[in-house]
Amino acid sequence: MKLSIALFASLMGVVAAQEDCYNTTEALAIAQATDPRSNDVRGVYTLCPGLELTVGFPANEAFTAFSFGGFPLAVLRPNTTIDGNGVVLSGGLIQFATLAAYVFEGTPFTDPKSGTIIKNIVFDGTGLTPAGGFPSQSMFISAPGDYVVSNITFKNIAYGIGDAQSRPIFVGPSDIAQLAPLTPPNSISFTLEDSTFVNVTTSNGTSVFLSENQTIAAKNVIYENVEALAALSVDGATGSATVENVCISGSKFSFATLAAREGDVGLYPSISGLYIADSVENESCAASENLFSSPGRDNSGTCSSVETVDSCFATPMDPTSPTDAPANGTATDPPASAA
C-alpha cells in the first residue's frame, strides 16, 4: 500500500514549520510539498549541518524515482529559500533541478519559481556522470522564475565525457521535448553571486555557466583552475549576461573567452570589474575588441575595468580557495589591490 505525501508527512512529523532542518533532500522536498503556506508567503527550508549526500540516477522517465543515491535537491514552489547549510552533494546525473512542470508523488507543481533563493551548497563533481543521453549538470534550471544563488562552490568537476556536453550550470529549456515549450525565452533570471568554481574542466566546446535565451549574471565570482571554452555564455538570440567583479586565477581561458558562446547566434555580456590573477593570458579591453565584433551576433556588450591582481579574494564557503587569499577577505570585498 502506497502512502500519500500528506499521510507520510504527518506520520513522520515532516512539516516545514516544525522542522529546524532536514537530513535528506527527499525530506526537504516533502516539506515543500506539504507546507500549508500559500505561494505568496516565503517558505524557508534548511538542510542539517555537516551533511554529505550522494545524488542518484533517474530510475524512470518521469524523474520521480532515483537509484544509487537520493533525489536531487529541487525547488517545487515559488518564494522558496533553500539553505544548504554547507551540504556537499556528489554523484548523480543532475544534483539540483527545477523543471517547468514536475509531478512529485502524484502532485503537479507547475507554478513559475519566482522569488527563489538558494545558498550555502558545495557541488562536488565526484561521481557526476551523463546517463541515458542526458548531460550531467550540477545545477539545471528550467522552470521560469527569478533565482538568486549565493555562497556556492563548484569543485572537482570534469565534464564532457564522450559526446555529452555537460557543465556546472545550465539555465534554459529542458531536453525533455514535452517540457521545452514551457520555458520560453526571457522567462528566467538567474544570478550567481559570492561563489567559486575551482578545479573545473569542460570539453566539447562547452561553457562553465551557460544560458539558452535567458538572463544570467555572475557577481563576485571566482574562477580558479578552470579549463573551458567559456566561463560564462549566452546561446541564442535573446536574453542577456552581466559580469560584475569576477576574478580569474590559474585558469586556461583568456578574457576573450569569458564571453564566448556556443552556436552561431549569441549575446555578449556587459562586463565591469574583471580581475585577473596568474592566468594564462592577461588581456585588456582594448586588446579584446574582437569580443564585440563577430558578424551575425549582438555586438552590444561593453567592457570596463580590467585589472591584474596578485590573487583573487576568498569566498565564505571556501576560505582556502584560492590560495594566497588576503586575510579576512570575503566574496563581497574587492581584491586588495583594487581597493
Side-chain angles (χ1 to χ4, degrees):
M1 180 177 177
K2 188 175 183 181
L3 292 175
S4 68
I5 293 178
L7 178 57
F8 177 80
S10 65
L11 290 175
M12 299 302 293
V14 182
V15 178
Q18 298 177 0
E19 293 291 324
D20 292 330
C21 66
Y22 303 93
N23 283 309
T24 68
T25 52
E26 292 94 329
L28 190 146
I30 291 170
Q32 292 182 67
T34 59
D35 193 338
R37 71 179 175 93
S38 63
N39 283 340
D40 60 351
V41 174
R42 178 159 299 277
V44 179
Y45 312 93
T46 303
L47 288 170
C48 296
L51 293 178
E52 296 184 7
L53 302 177
T54 300
V55 179
F57 293 85
N60 57 34
E61 294 183 356
F63 293 90
T64 56
F66 292 80
S67 57
F68 305 104
F71 275 69
L73 199 56
V75 172
L76 300 180
R77 299 171 60 179
N79 291 310
T80 292
T81 295
I82 293 180
D83 185 348
N85 215 354
V87 64
V88 178
L89 296 178
S90 62
L93 173 67
I94 294 172
Q95 295 172 334
F96 179 98
T98 68
L99 294 175
Y102 183 64
V103 177
F104 183 72
E105 291 287 337
T107 302
F109 293 91
T110 58
D111 291 319
K113 306 306 182 286
S114 56
T116 296
I117 298 173
I118 308 297
K119 57 186 178 180
N120 303 329
I121 300 171
V122 176
F123 292 103
D124 189 335
T126 304
L128 186 63
T129 308
F134 290 94
S136 57
Q137 288 155 145
S138 294
M139 297 194 77
F140 179 72
I141 307 298
S142 188
D146 56 281
Y147 302 78
V148 176
V149 179
S150 62
N151 292 346
I152 306 296
T153 297
F154 301 89
K155 70 175 186 177
N156 305 329
I157 299 169
Y159 288 113
I161 299 173
D163 293 328
Q165 293 202 357
S166 305
R167 60 193 60 82
I169 305 174
F170 176 75
V171 179
S174 172
D175 287 335
I176 302 172
Q178 62 269 30
L179 294 183
L182 302 180
T183 312
N186 297 311
S187 64
I188 300 174
S189 173
F190 183 97
T191 298
L192 178 70
E193 60 186 22
D194 303 339
S195 296
T196 301
F197 298 94
V198 57
N199 299 333
V200 174
T201 302
T202 72
S203 62
N204 298 319
T206 60
S207 172
V208 174
F209 180 4
L210 174 67
S211 158
E212 185 174 318
N213 291 315
Q214 307 299 332
T215 297
I216 58 175
K219 301 180 179 181
N220 303 321
V221 173
I222 294 171
Y223 292 85
E224 182 192 11
N225 297 331
V226 174
E227 183 175 357
L229 170 69
L232 174 147
S233 60
V234 176
D235 185 10
T238 64
S240 65
T242 302
V243 175
E244 295 181 10
N245 296 328
V246 167
C247 192
I248 300 171
S249 175
S251 296
K252 295 182 180 179
F253 55 82
S254 69
F255 169 51
T257 60
L258 185 75
R261 302 126 325 277
E262 301 176 1
D264 293 331
V265 177
L267 300 169
Y268 293 97
S270 296
I271 301 172
S272 62
L274 177 66
Y275 304 94
I276 301 176
D278 303 322
S279 290
V280 175
E281 298 181 36
N282 295 332
E283 298 189 35
S284 67
C285 288
S288 301
E289 292 178 356
N290 62 314
L291 222 75
F292 311 108
S293 60
S294 294
R297 297 190 172 103
D298 183 334
N299 299 319
S300 62
T302 60
C303 175
S304 63
S305 182
V306 178
E307 183 174 346
T308 300
V309 296
D310 292 333
S311 65
C312 291
F313 42 100
T315 69
M317 283 294 294
D318 190 359
T320 63
S321 176
T323 56
D324 304 324
N328 301 319
T330 69
T332 56
D333 298 328
S337 61

